[in-house]
Amino acid sequence: MNDSRGERIRSGASSADPTKVTQQPALTTASGTIWVVMGSLLLVAGAVPVVAIIALRPGPMVPVAVATGALMLACTCVLFIARFAVQRGPLRLRVMAASMIASAVVGVLGLLLCLVIQGG
């Protein structure tokens, strides 16, 4: 079988291709410490504007800011729990990556909603 460039494709090619995203060391063999460190830094970075909104801009966006902070904290707690409760391997690392991504998404969407509330 040939690909679009005319090169031969091996059937049953090795799934251990190090260039595949799912085969990267951060998602296959890492201990998870980097996810904990980066997740904690993300929480701190997200907490700065949330705390500023709560402390400096009392108003209708405070409940959204509190909910955003609480959800980000919950995602980071899931990251920590996964680090110590899930057996070492790709599953633990994927759970940790997903919780960090969820924390980032919650932070961005929550702060954007605060901006919409402030502007409206």
Side-chain angles (χ1 to χ4, degrees):
M1 180 177 214
N2 294 336
D3 68 1
S4 61
R5 297 175 299 192
E7 295 180 11
R8 185 157 177 84
I9 299 174
R10 295 184 317 181
S11 60
S14 172
S15 64
D17 181 4
T19 61
K20 288 179 67 176
V21 171
T22 58
Q23 297 298 323
Q24 297 299 310
L27 290 175
T28 56
T29 61
S31 68
T33 303
I34 189 67
W35 291 106
V36 170
V37 170
M38 296 309 294
S40 299
L41 290 173
L42 177 66
L43 178 64
V44 169
V48 169
V50 167
V51 169
I53 288 170
I54 294 168
L56 303 175
R57 293 275 189 188
M61 61 185 172
V62 169
V64 175
V66 169
T68 298
L71 288 172
M72 287 183 68
L73 181 61
C75 289
T76 304
C77 287
V78 168
L79 192 145
F80 274 93
I81 291 168
R83 170 66 173 87
F84 298 106
V86 179
Q87 184 178 8
R88 185 178 182 139
L91 175 64
R92 174 171 74 179
L93 296 170
R94 288 182 179 141
V95 169
M96 293 173 74
S99 66
M100 187 172 160
I101 290 168
S103 179
V105 168
V106 165
V108 168
L109 292 179
L111 292 174
L112 284 175
L113 185 56
C114 286
L115 286 174
V116 168
I117 292 169
Q118 178 65 25

